[in-house]
Each structure stands twice: as C-alpha cells, then as structure tokens.
C-alpha cells in the first residue's frame, strides 16, 4: 500500500471517528475488496480497529457498541431522518425499531409534537418521551446489553395492542432479490409484528444496505409502502420498486 493511500484512509476515518467499508470505498473511489486489503496492515499494527461492517480509531474502542454504530454513515442517516421529519405531522403515530437510523429519526422528530410512539428501544424512548406532548410506549421484556432493546414474546405481544399509522423500520439488508432481511431473528420478528399493526410501512435505510445479504428474511419488497434513503437506489432496484408499487424517497439535487 502506498504512503498516500495509507494517509487517505487514516484521514477519512479520523474525520468521523469510524467509517463503514462501503463508505470508505466510495470516498476513495476504489472497490470494497481493495479497501479490505488496504486496511489489513493498519489493523495489524493497531492504527485502526475493525468492527462489524467497518473500522474505527482505537480511542473509540471503549464506547458502547450502539454509540459506535451511531458514528457510521452518520451524514446519510441524518439525511434520511430529515426526509422522515418532513413527512411526519404533529399528532401522528408510529412504531420505531432499535436501529441507529431510527435513533437519528427520533432526534429529528424533536421538531414534532403530540406524537404517539411505540418502541422496544430504550434509546428511542429516551429521545422522545416527555417532549412536546408526546406519548411514548415502551415494550417490556429482557433488554439486550448492546443497545438496550427489549425482545421476546412479551415485547411482541405488547406491540399487538396498538394500531398506528406508520411502522418505520431500519432493516439490516435489502437483498439483490428485492427482499428485506436482517441479521438477527428477534429484529425480524419485531419488524413483522410492527408491520402487521401499521397502516403504512416505511423502510429507512442508507445506500449501503442495497445489495447486502442477511440471513433472516423479514418480508418481500411488495409488503412495504416506501423506502427512504440518502440517495437514489441502483437502477435495477428502482425497477423492482416500480414493479412492486413501492415509493423510493431520497434527497433531490
């Protein structure tokens, strides 16, 4: 690896503290395979640390995993949150899951009032409770240690008591076959339970999720109403959306 490439990688990661492999490849104008080869020596010498899906500066290693993930693709996640805020009105009702993109959405919704929010995430509940006349309902159950989200039968039964306008879901992957998928069974179960109780389902996912594969299927593309992202999806995926009647929403230049 050249000295210039090494310096470029470190400057990009230092600017935000952490970075996904896909984002780093886009910024450097190279393939993800090239990035993976280039970062390996930096990881071995301790200049960078690897985490699931990305790399970070070593001084962030002591931060909780959720906070580390909040720093990955943060500009993209805030762009998505802004689009959601523009479409949610005062008095609306919605489900929000435990993803970091959902946390950005919750922060953006501070501009709204009298919301009814149902979530299984302590992170989301903390951001929206006791603010602007909101009503926040937190599903019970055992909290996961990494992101303080409740899962299990009791959380799913709790969700089933509500009928809300929107389900906002930050899935782990949107596969090449046009299916929504996640990496953990309990996250997929929450998504399906929320969809069943909502009038509309919006997927909130940055462009790194397109073409990604994950092991647990959530639902087919046609089961959702809209996908909100930080930029236009690949043309092949837009064609799938048109065929399935799914709106794609992204910032217009």
């Amino acid at each position: 690896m050249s000295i210039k490439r090494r310096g470029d990688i470190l400057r990009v990661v230092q600017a935000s503290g952490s970075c996904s492999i896909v984002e780093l490849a886009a910024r450097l104008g190279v393939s993800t395979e090239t990035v993976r080869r280039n970062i390996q020596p930096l990881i071995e010498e301790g200049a960078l640390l690897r985490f699931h899906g990305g790399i970070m500066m070593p001084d962030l290693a002591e931060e909780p995993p959720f906070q580390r993930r909040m720093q990955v693709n943060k500009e993209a996640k805030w762009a998505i949150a802004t689009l959601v805020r523009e479409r949610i009105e005062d008095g609306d009702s919605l489900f929000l899951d435990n993803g970091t993109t959902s946390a950005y959405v919750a922060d953006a919704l501070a501009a709204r009032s009298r919301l009814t929010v149902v979530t299984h995430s302590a992170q989301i509940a903390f951001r929206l409770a006791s603010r602007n006349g909101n009503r926040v309902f937190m599903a019970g159950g055992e909290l996961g240690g990494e992101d303080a989200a409740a899962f299990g039968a009791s959380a799913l039964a709790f969700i089933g008591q509500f009928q809300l306008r929107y389900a906002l879901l930050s899935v782990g992957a949107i596969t090449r076959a046009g299916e929504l998928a996640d990496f953990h069974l309990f996250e997929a179960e929450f998504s399906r339970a929320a969809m069943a109780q909502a009038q509309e389902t919006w997927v909130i996912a940055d462009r790194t999720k397109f073409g990604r594969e994950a092991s647990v299927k959530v639902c087919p593309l046609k089961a959702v109403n809209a996908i909100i992202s930080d930029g236009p999806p690949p043309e092949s995926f837009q064609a799938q959306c048109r065929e399935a009647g799914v709106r794609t929403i992204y910032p217009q230049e």
Side-chain angles (χ1 to χ4, degrees), residues 35-242:
V35 166
R36 290 188 176 92
R37 288 197 303 270
N38 289 169
I39 64 175
Q40 190 57 39
L42 297 171
I43 293 169
E44 291 174 355
E45 69 185 56
L48 295 173
L49 290 178
R50 187 193 299 274
F51 65 95
H52 179 71
I55 51 177
M56 64 181 177
M57 302 305 297
D59 56 3
L60 289 179
E62 298 304 314
E63 285 192 2
F66 187 88
Q67 297 305 321
R68 290 204 300 267
R69 296 202 310 273
M70 285 288 289
Q71 299 304 312
V72 177
N73 292 340
K74 58 184 180 181
E75 293 179 0
K77 292 172 182 177
W78 185 249
I80 293 168
T82 300
L83 291 173
V84 173
R85 179 184 61 202
E86 292 170 353
R87 288 158 174 79
I88 296 295
E89 299 180 355
D90 293 345
D92 271 342
S93 59
L94 56 143
F95 293 98
L96 268 175
D97 65 11
N98 69 314
T100 53
T101 304
S102 298
Y104 276 90
V105 168
D107 288 337
L109 291 179
R112 298 290 172 259
S113 62
R114 296 179 287 103
L115 299 175
T116 297
V117 179
V118 176
T119 184
H120 62 150
S121 167
Q123 299 280 354
I124 302 298
F126 174 77
R127 285 167 161 80
L128 290 172
S130 302
R131 173 179 290 176
N132 299 343
N134 295 335
R135 300 182 70 195
V136 177
F137 296 88
M138 173 79 189
E142 182 178 1
L143 293 183
E146 182 175 304
D147 50 16
F151 294 101
S154 58
L156 298 179
F158 182 83
I159 292 167
Q161 300 178 81
F162 296 88
Q163 290 286 339
L164 305 184
R165 183 170 183 184
Y166 302 110
L168 305 184
L169 305 176
S170 57
V171 297
I174 303 173
T175 71
R176 295 182 184 90
E179 293 183 336
L180 308 182
D182 234 313
F183 296 100
H184 302 287
L185 178 61
F186 48 76
E187 292 176 348
E189 289 176 336
F190 176 88
S191 294
R192 287 193 291 266
M195 292 171 65
Q197 305 302 122
Q199 296 175 25
E200 288 192 35
T201 297
W202 296 353
V203 173
I204 47 177
D206 64 66
R207 283 179 288 179
T208 66
K209 304 293 179 65
F210 295 115
R212 180 184 287 186
E213 301 295 322
S215 56
V216 185
K217 178 181 176 180
V218 176
C219 67
L221 182 61
K222 64 181 180 181
V224 307
N225 300 95
I227 294 179
I228 303 179
S229 191
D230 59 304
E235 178 54 40
S236 60
F237 184 77
Q238 292 194 57
Q240 290 177 306
C241 288
R242 288 191 293 268

